Amino acid sequence: MLNLVKVVIADDHALVREGLKTILKSQPGISVLGMAENGEEAIRLCKRLNPDVALMDLSMPVKSGVQAIQELSGLVRTKFLALTAHVESDHIFSALDAGASGYLLKTSSSKELVMAIETVMAGKVYLTPEISAEVAKGFLQKERSRSIESLEALTEREREILKHVLSGYKNREIADLLVISIKTVEKHRSNLMKKLGLRSKSELMAYGEELKEKGVFL
């Protein structure tokens, strides 16, 4: 990492928080700004400190990690990395739909943790290998058969925005990249979702995985 990455850690277990802090402090390119023990505290910290990345446990008191991510998405530039023990598809989809840029299990190695942070900082989505198959499975179980031909219905601008969304960029970042307003990005994104028959971010990300599997590049 060329620039210092500022991180906030949110977990209701003190041992987990301290362990993560120790791991991250050993990395020369990462600085831990603060730690929270519940979702409400995480919201306050992120608003006040505006970290680059927030490691967010999903099961926390007062407010859950998912609720915290939902409330903060769009308000701060922070990338949210869900760090949890849950491998069930409903937890995965809830985190992604809320605005998480990555999903990491607490059984992951310190090396994978750093890699996940680097990935979301690069504007991409990180899914730990153990749950990638679960995301694809959940997508298929919805029985939403979308052919590749549906891409032909998208305009050039919609395809461009789809490419950036699948790469993990947020609406604000896409607007900056394309030099257009956030409202324009939101309108194009809404239109392409309707054309593709997609209703949530998790369905969109699963659709992106399907495109990759079929060797389709935008």
Side-chain angles (χ1 to χ4, degrees):
M1 297 180 215
L2 298 177
N3 299 316
L4 187 67
V5 178
K6 297 171 290 184
V7 177
V8 159
I9 299 167
D11 195 288
D12 59 332
H13 294 95
L15 282 176
V16 174
R17 294 196 303 272
E18 292 298 332
L20 290 170
K21 180 180 178 181
T22 298
I23 291 171
L24 296 179
K25 284 184 69 176
S26 69
Q27 301 298 319
I30 298 177
S31 172
V32 178
L33 297 184
M35 299 190 292
E37 61 182 25
N38 60 60
E40 187 64 52
E41 189 176 345
I43 292 170
R44 290 198 300 269
L45 268 183
C46 287
K47 286 182 177 179
R48 179 165 60 87
L49 302 176
N50 196 27
D52 298 307
V53 176
L55 301 181
M56 198 77 71
D57 180 26
L58 298 185
S59 301
M60 292 188 290
V62 187
K63 282 189 177 180
S64 70
V66 170
Q67 289 174 314
I69 294 171
Q70 282 178 326
E71 187 166 331
L72 289 166
S73 289
L75 295 179
V76 294
R77 290 180 175 271
T78 303
K79 306 285 188 181
F80 300 102
L81 183 57
L83 184 62
T84 177
H86 297 294
V87 296
E88 299 85 358
S89 59
D90 57 338
H91 285 95
I92 299 168
F93 294 151
S94 292
L96 294 176
D97 288 342
S101 295
Y103 199 97
L104 191 66
L105 298 179
K106 289 185 177 180
T107 54
S108 302
S109 66
S110 56
K111 181 179 180 180
E112 186 181 357
L113 171 61
V114 174
M115 182 170 65
I117 291 173
E118 291 175 340
T119 299
V120 298
M121 280 300 295
K124 300 177 182 178
V125 173
Y126 184 86
L127 296 179
T128 195
E130 290 89 341
I131 62 102
S132 294
E134 192 68 25
V135 171
K137 177 183 175 183
F139 174 69
L140 292 173
Q141 285 177 339
K142 293 178 182 293
E143 296 181 354
R144 291 184 140 309
S145 177
R146 283 174 287 273
S147 65
I148 299 304
E149 287 74 24
S150 60
L151 283 172
E152 299 300 322
L154 302 184
T155 65
E156 184 177 346
R157 178 63 91 184
E158 288 168 349
R159 287 173 69 104
E160 190 175 17
I161 288 175
L162 175 61
K163 178 181 178 180
H164 288 309
V165 171
L166 294 179
S167 295
Y169 289 95
K170 295 183 178 180
N171 289 349
R172 184 189 302 275
E173 295 168 323
I174 296 173
D176 291 341
L177 281 171
L178 302 181
V179 196
I180 56 179
S181 70
I182 296 178
K183 286 188 176 180
T184 300
V185 173
E186 291 173 345
K187 181 179 179 181
H188 284 306
R189 183 165 176 168
S190 175
N191 288 340
L192 72 88
M193 293 279 283
K194 289 178 182 177
K195 289 179 181 180
L196 295 174
L198 303 168
R199 295 181 297 178
S200 66
K201 183 179 178 181
S202 59
E203 287 190 4
L204 181 60
M205 299 314 295
Y207 181 68
E209 290 296 319
E210 183 185 15
L211 292 181
K212 280 196 280 186
E213 287 178 6
K214 293 183 178 180
V216 177
F217 300 96
L218 296 170

